[in-house]
Structure formats: structure tokens, C-alpha cells
Amino acid sequence: MKGIVMPGKIIKTAMIAYLFFNSVLVVANGDTLKSLIEKGKTEAAYKYGIKNFEEHAGDPLFDLYFGISAIETGHIERAIMSFERILMIYPQQHRARLELGRAYFIIGNYERAKPEFEEILNTSAPESVKQKVKNFLDEIDKRIAERSVNFSAYIDFAVGHDSNINGATAYDEVYIPFFSDYFQLTEDSQAISSAFAELELGVKYERSISKISSWYTAASIANKSNSATSDYDTNLFNLSGGYSWRGNKNSFQVPLSLQLLTMDGEESRYSFSATAVWSRSLDKSTTFNGFWQIGSNNFPGSSDRDVDTSMLGLSLTDSEGRSTVSVNAMYAVEIPRGDALEHNGKSTASLGFSSRYIVSNKDIINMLISASIVEYDDASPLFDQAREDEMITLVLAWKRMYNRKIGINAEFMFTENMSNQDLYDYDRTILKTGIRYQFD
């Protein structure tokens, strides 16, 4: 391959030209590994590293040469973990960063490899090393451009339990001001608990326009079937598409979405949205995001509920090592349209915090907590005051990827809605576990 030094050759030249940081990594436990690698005995080095892993993992010099031996023997995931351990403590150890970029390059994760290589160009590394890095970057650009067409599909299956499939109150009676009396609620009007099964199928087609821009179209169908009653069984059909542009520090996306929700086999809601998303990289680890979305919700057979929607959101995301944290704020309005009743209009303000932690090369843990305040525009005919809700949501999720195609997951979600009208006061707990198969 022209202009690119492949893994077997770069290790020999880079080992000689790129030892400028080794004086910092003075850990004797890596000497044996280093000696074996310099003699070309990478398989023996890897076996030695495995044998002594529990005792010496975390020693920078050991991690460096164990990672190199792992790359050369095809154990890329172990190599990545070794180099990341070094960089979490010694972010300026550029040899480890170079090898981390090379590991990502080998497995085709060019989006992760590129920033690691670019960081090397900003160091005092020898020009011979920088030239090899530039060759890698040129090859990455070439390969990304060659990914002009990408087709993927997935299937998700999950089972679980939902404490409140109809999002209803747990009260058996509520006060209705219009009648100045309490009304007994039927069992169907109270929270219904049920086991459920979910099945989702999706496809996506993406085509690159240039190195920095692309467009896509996607479709999916998601079904939820409840064991207690079919009244709240749902199907969600989604058709989407959009355009994206990625610059050095800024990126833009314009996604469009059309959805149909059915409940118990009958059309319940049509939704359309158009969104403009802007992202800006503030530094190597921090990204600012902003979006504006407009849309509409239409309810067949119930036009008095039709609304136009507008939403504005901001978020700040920081990624360091294995951890990613994000804070976000959102404000949305729903404006009654045509013959729609004024009390169906509302405004929503929310704050959220989310985090993602990569436990290992297979396991990821996600957490989300959000708080929202919802204020309705007017009182409904049955109540003497406009509805106001305060909602808190907590989500904990775990995902394990066995390989690039198969993954399992588990999720816990708790929602509590506190309303000034008892009829809308409720809480909901969902537990589920599932499996995903990715086609590509």
C-alpha cells in the first residue's frame, strides 16, 4: 500500500525514532516485555504479559509494551485498554497515544483514531514519526471517503414489566370542581400493571456526499404488547432522513422525521418534526450542542387536540477517558391549532444530567436524571385552574456487546409526575432486558 506503513513495519521504525518519552515511564516490570518485542518475539511477549497481567497491570511501561504485543498478536481490544490506562494518568505520554491511534486504525475505527494521531502532530515528536502519522491521517481520510454508501439494519427484542402502561393515577377517586364532587374511578381509569414484550426492526441507508458531508434515510417499526390488556398495545412507525456536515470544530445536522402511532390497532397520532442541530468542539474533550425543532402532532378523529410544536435545547458534553457526562436544558411549547381547545396548549421546561461509563471493552453503563415543569395554557372545562405538572425521571441502563453484531441490555426507568390535579398524579416503573442483533 502506497504511502502507509503497516503495523509490522511501523513498530520497528517508531520504536527507534519515538522513545522521547520513555524516560518518564520508568517502571522496571516492562523491561522483559520490551526486550522480547525488540527481538521480534511478540507472541512470547504477549504470553508473558498475560501471565503477569494481574500483578503488573497499571505500571505504565508494562502497559505500553503489553499493549504493543497485543496489537502485534491481534488482541486489539486488550491493547486499547492498556493504552487508555496509561493516558488516563499520563495524558502527555504520546507514544501510548500513537499506539492507541494505531490500534483504532487497525480495527477500522477511524473516528477514534484520527484525533489521537492529530494530537501527535502538536508534540515535539521527531519529523520522521510525524510523517508516518500524516500518512496514517491521509489513509484515514481516503478510507472514510470510500465509505460512500453504508447500509445497516437491526432487530431488538425485549421483555419486561411496566407498573403503569396507561400512565394513569393510582387514586381510586378524584375531585372534579365542575361537579363539586368526588368521582369513583373504574379500574380501567387507574394505573394498570403488566408484563410486556417489545420488538423493533430498523434499517438505515447512508451516502457520503464528500469527506465532510452525507445524507441518510431510515425506517423503523416498534411494537409493544402487554399481557394484561391489548387496549394499550402500541405500534410506532418512523420514517426519517437528513443531511449532516462535519467541519474541524463545527458540525451541522438537519434531520426530518415522520411518525405514526397506533394503539390497540387504531391510528392514534401522526407526528412530523424538522430539526436543526449545531455542535461545536470547545476543546479536545468538551462539546457544545444546540438545536431547534419545529413540528406538529395530529390526532385522527380528535382534531381538538391537534397542536404545533417548537422546541429549543442546549447541552454541554465532556468526555475524559472512559467517562462521558452531559448536562442539558430544553424549552418546548405546544400551540393549539385550528379548532383545538386552548387547554391542550402547554409549555415545558426541563433540565437533565446524563453520564456514560465504559466499564470494559464490552460493558457500558448509562445513567440519566431529568426534571421537568409543564404548564398548560388554560383550565379544562372540568377543572377550575390550569393544569401544572412537575415530573422527575431516572434511567439506569447497562449494555454488553459480545461482538460487533450481538449485544444484550437491561434498563430501569422510574417516572414520577406530580400534578395540581389528582387525575394526572402518577408514578411509573419500567424494568426490561433485551437483545439486539446488528446487520451490516
Side-chain angles (χ1 to χ4, degrees):
M1 185 183 297
K2 271 188 175 179
I4 188 72
V5 179
M6 296 312 292
K9 296 181 179 179
I10 191 174
I11 194 63
K12 295 179 180 178
T13 54
M15 289 278 295
I16 297 172
Y18 203 68
L19 296 175
F20 64 94
F21 88 111
N22 281 353
S23 59
V24 180
L25 299 179
V26 183
V27 184
N29 293 323
D31 287 345
T32 301
L33 283 170
K34 179 181 177 182
S35 176
L36 289 170
I37 291 173
E38 289 176 340
K39 294 176 182 177
K41 300 179 179 180
T42 54
E43 187 67 39
Y46 180 73
K47 290 180 179 179
Y48 176 87
I50 289 294
K51 182 179 179 180
N52 294 274
F53 186 80
E54 290 188 7
E55 182 179 357
H56 298 313
D59 291 347
L61 193 59
F62 177 90
D63 282 342
L64 174 67
Y65 288 105
F66 176 67
I68 292 173
S69 71
I71 285 183
E72 297 305 313
T73 54
H75 300 86
I76 308 302
E77 293 177 346
R78 279 190 173 273
I80 289 172
M81 292 178 65
S82 294
F83 300 137
E84 286 184 340
R85 274 198 301 271
I86 298 173
L87 293 171
M88 287 175 66
I89 303 173
Y90 302 103
Q92 299 304 315
Q93 302 312 319
H94 307 302
R95 175 65 186 280
R97 192 172 301 282
L98 172 67
E99 298 298 343
L100 178 60
R102 188 164 72 97
Y104 280 128
F105 177 87
I106 291 171
I107 63 175
N109 192 339
Y110 306 128
E111 290 75 13
R112 292 293 300 271
K114 192 170 183 177
E116 305 299 342
F117 286 137
E118 289 175 338
E119 182 72 15
I120 300 298
L121 296 180
N122 297 322
T123 70
S124 58
E127 285 304 315
S128 59
V129 173
K130 288 187 176 182
Q131 184 56 54
K132 292 178 176 63
V133 167
K134 290 176 182 178
N135 291 341
F136 270 112
L137 289 171
D138 289 343
E139 184 66 17
I140 287 174
D141 288 341
K142 177 183 175 183
R143 294 188 183 187
I144 290 177
E146 289 174 349
R147 292 176 173 177
S148 58
V149 175
N150 181 49
F151 177 82
S152 62
Y154 67 89
I155 179 171
D156 280 340
F157 177 74
V159 294
H161 185 270
D162 189 336
S163 69
N164 193 349
I165 61 175
N166 52 338
T169 183
Y171 296 124
D172 56 7
E173 63 176 17
V174 295
Y175 182 74
I176 306 297
F178 182 81
F179 298 103
S180 300
D181 200 358
Y182 284 88
F183 275 74
Q184 193 76 23
L185 297 178
T186 65
E187 289 187 0
D188 290 343
S189 299
Q190 299 177 55
I192 299 174
S193 176
S194 177
F196 67 85
E198 292 180 333
L199 179 64
E200 182 174 347
L201 306 172
V203 295
K204 183 178 182 180
Y205 175 84
E206 186 172 11
R207 175 178 286 275
S208 297
I209 301 172
S210 67
K211 290 183 180 180
I212 60 174
S213 63
S214 63
W215 64 267
Y216 77 93
T217 183
S220 65
I221 176 174
N223 168 267
K224 181 182 179 184
S225 299
N226 301 290
S227 63
T229 175
S230 65
D231 291 348
Y232 300 96
D233 289 357
T234 59
N235 287 296
L236 182 63
F237 302 87
N238 183 70
L239 180 64
S240 62
Y243 168 83
S244 64
W245 178 91
R246 300 171 298 277
N248 185 31
K249 288 185 175 292
N250 296 286
S251 65
F252 298 93
Q253 298 177 55
V254 184
L256 306 174
S257 177
L258 180 64
Q259 291 185 341
L260 166 62
L261 174 68
T262 69
M263 186 171 293
D264 196 21
E266 298 183 358
E267 296 179 356
S268 175
R269 185 191 69 215
Y270 287 95
S271 299
F272 169 77
S273 67
T275 311
V277 184
W278 168 55
S279 299
R280 178 171 176 82
S281 176
L282 303 181
D283 55 40
K284 185 180 178 182
S285 63
T286 308
T287 304
F288 172 82
N289 303 280
F291 75 88
W292 179 45
Q293 181 184 93
I294 58 173
S296 64
N297 294 328
N298 304 281
F299 300 87
S302 184
S303 61
D304 58 351
R305 298 172 60 197
D306 292 352
V307 294
D308 293 321
T309 63
S310 181
M311 184 186 304
L312 180 68
L314 304 171
S315 69
L316 192 66
T317 301
D318 185 76
S319 297
E320 292 285 351
R322 296 177 178 269
S323 299
T324 300
V325 296
S326 179
V327 292
N328 63 79
M330 183 273 292
Y331 181 77
V333 294
E334 296 186 8
I335 304 170
R337 183 176 66 252
D339 296 329
L341 301 175
E342 189 67 22
H343 66 264
N344 287 323
K346 64 182 180 180
S347 61
T348 303
S350 69
L351 290 173
F353 170 84
S354 63
S355 66
R356 178 175 181 265
Y357 183 73
I358 303 174
V359 181
S360 68
N361 59 322
K362 292 185 177 181
D363 298 285
I364 299 174
I365 294 176
N366 290 284
M367 185 272 286
L368 165 70
I369 183 168
S370 67
S372 303
I373 297 176
V374 183
E375 296 181 346
Y376 286 75
D377 294 346
D378 200 2
S380 73
L382 296 179
F383 295 91
D384 56 5
Q385 59 180 333
R387 177 181 165 187
E388 293 182 4
D389 293 354
E390 295 180 1
M391 179 181 288
I392 296 176
T393 300
L394 171 66
V395 179
L396 298 174
W398 164 77
K399 179 172 70 173
R400 162 165 281 225
M401 296 301 299
Y402 284 101
N403 51 50
R404 291 180 59 188
K405 294 182 178 293
I406 301 176
I408 61 173
N409 58 78
E411 182 179 296
F412 164 83
M413 182 173 72
F414 173 77
T415 301
E416 183 172 9
N417 191 68
M418 298 160 284
S419 178
N420 63 343
Q421 299 174 6
D422 289 347
L423 185 61
Y424 304 105
D425 212 55
Y426 71 89
D427 59 57
R428 185 176 189 177
T429 301
I430 299 175
L431 286 168
K432 68 177 181 179
T433 184
I435 184 170
R436 163 176 282 214
Y437 187 86
Q438 184 81 31
F439 304 87
D440 48 29

